Amino acid sequence: IADAIEDRQSEIIEIECRNTGKPISLTTSEEVPPMVDQIRFFAGAARNLEGKSAGEYMPGMTSMIRREPIGVIGQVTPWNYPMMMAVWKWAPAIAAGNTVVLKPSDTTPASTLFMAQVMSEFLPAGVFNVICGERETGKLLVDHTTPVMVSITGSVRAGMEIAASAAPDLKRVHLELGGKAPVIVYDDCDFEKTVQGVAEANLYNAGQDCAAGTRVIVQEGIAKEFTAALAKKVAEFKFGSPENDDHFYGALNSQNQLDRVQGFIDRLPSHAEILTGGKAQRLNGGYYFEPTLIAGLKQDDEMIQTEVFASVQTIQTFKDEAQAIQMANDVDFGLAASIWSENHGKVIRTSQDLDFGQVWVNCHLVQAAEMPNGGFKHSGHGNDLSTEAIEGYTRVKHVMSLTGR
């Protein structure tokens, strides 16, 4: 399957970019190669699952542990990374021996359907199934008695609804539900590299990323200089049609998403200051939002506490490590965070205290197939990627045999 998708990557890239508005150049370099690598990783990892060794834990008895497929898995994927999130769902589930019924977002189903067509050349009928539809279709999938596990990447509201729907049947639930990632910038960071990295941390994919670096928290000693430099850098990023290689990001998903983002701007309190951007634009039929940086917000303001999911970044200041950690953790989300500093001890201390499932140091939005991706608190539970994902799609069986000794 990985080879076939790689061979036909020009087709799936064209489909994905037409469906989402993503830049073709970034999709070609940043999405398809990792996606193919992830499929190959799961193919190999399925042959190397670990467990306790068989042994005698009671006289005359030998025990062993089996990891078995769970059965039919219902999965729901989002519109921000349609093809890659589909891979994060079906690859570990099928590698573990399960069958899958997957519902893509109603606004971006095309690349998942193409993938299913490619996969049908290699998988027995019924192993990978795709159904299309809106929210009601997803609800019917979750409510149905056949799936024994449900996995979703989506909003907190959707996750809570699915958890409630799964409860009567005691279905297993894997939830990846978004975030509000803090970006902690200490005064001993590499200034220029940090400015560039922090800007990209939120603008990649038009900010439509659960782990996007939306909340910049910078130390007071460099706050004025860093804020000015970041505002200048953010304003330099270009956006627009997928065909132009100079465009760093493309359109928002829909008119609904654009209206939602505009609502956050319209509701900004009087003490907020838009340093750059802040406006919607319609280009060639697409829904775009300018690269935006906002200062002056307080910790309990809506834009600090709520996921915007757009090219909108906020910046706050802190005095010391303790306050940085307190501000970073003071949200309902716990998916991802990043720390920017040249002090190793400070980085280790901060990473230990951050209440997030993934912490980057002097980088952001970097993923390895071998490492887990999952969150805490309202960001959900369970992991995508790594052997943790495969194990999450298995059940553990203890087999005990009388040996007669």
Side-chain angles (χ1 to χ4, degrees), residues 59-62 400-405:
M61 297 287 182
T62 296
M400 181 178 278
S401 178
L402 176 66
T403 60
R405 291 187 180 181

Side-chain angles (χ1 to χ4, degrees), residues 6 42 45-46 112 144 151 184 201 207 259 289 298 337:
E6 190 172 51
F42 284 119
T112 304
H144 201 279
S151 176
I184 298 176
D259 291 345
F289 205 84
K298 300 176 181 178

Side-chain angles (χ1 to χ4, degrees), residues 118-132:
V118 171
M119 293 165 65
S120 69
E121 302 173 24
F122 308 99
L123 297 176
V127 172
F128 183 57
N129 312 273
V130 177
I131 56 171
C132 293

Side-chain angles (χ1 to χ4, degrees), residues 317-368:
T317 62
F318 69 91
K319 294 180 180 179
D320 52 27
E321 288 181 44
Q323 187 181 21
I325 292 162
Q326 187 275 326
M327 292 173 68
N329 288 339
D330 186 25
V331 292
D332 289 334
F333 299 95
L335 182 61
S338 64
I339 307 164
W340 301 75
S341 169
E342 296 298 297
N343 184 306
H344 178 73
K346 187 185 298 180
V347 164
I348 296 301
R349 290 193 302 271
T350 305
S351 65
Q352 290 171 344
D353 290 336
L354 286 173
D355 197 10
F356 296 86
Q358 185 163 220
V359 179
W360 289 289
V361 177
N362 294 325
C363 60
H364 202 102
L365 291 181
V366 183
Q367 299 287 358

